[in-house]
Amino acid sequence: MKTLSDINFRDPYILSVPELEQYYLFGTDGLTAWSGAPHGFDVYISSDLQEWSGPIAAFRPDPDFWADHHFWAPEVHRYNGKYYMFASFKGHSVPRGTQY
């Protein structure tokens, strides 16, 4: 288990799922937020907002994904019984964009 001080995230977002009594913490990996090749987004899970298990891969880009850096600010929202992740990305010579 980890505490929040053990997790290196920027742009944290917490999704509460009351029926599971769980919280899901998504964020930008602090090591690749500004430079380096991002690996995607991870999630940590908690029942008390104090101790967190993870990380678990939440998004990994396909090899032909258009963005190659600045994977930022993931948010996950429930809509009609499904969960959708929205985030901001940047590609070489491609302006920043949002993808879901």
Side-chain angles (χ1 to χ4, degrees):
M1 292 295 221
K2 296 182 179 187
T3 65
L4 289 177
S5 63
D6 299 321
I7 300 171
N8 187 5
F9 265 176
R10 299 180 65 84
D11 308 317
Y13 181 84
I14 295 178
L15 172 70
S16 174
V17 182
E19 63 271 21
L20 298 178
E21 298 181 3
Q22 296 288 315
Y23 300 94
Y24 297 83
L25 172 64
F26 299 88
T28 301
D29 182 350
L31 298 175
T32 63
W34 295 101
S35 63
H39 61 272
F41 297 117
D42 292 332
V43 61
Y44 290 85
I45 303 170
S46 176
S47 60
D48 62 8
L49 296 173
Q50 301 298 314
E51 293 185 342
W52 297 85
S53 62
I56 301 165
F59 168 77
R60 294 295 184 265
D62 290 332
D64 61 344
F65 189 63
W66 65 271
D68 58 10
H69 61 281
H70 293 178
F71 286 28
W72 287 351
E75 291 188 10
V76 176
H77 298 274
R78 186 176 184 172
Y79 178 72
N80 286 339
K82 295 184 180 181
Y83 292 90
Y84 298 89
M85 177 182 282
F86 296 84
S88 170
F89 303 93
K90 175 113 176 63
H92 180 71
S93 301
V94 179
R96 174 165 308 288
T98 301
Q99 182 103 21
Y100 70 93

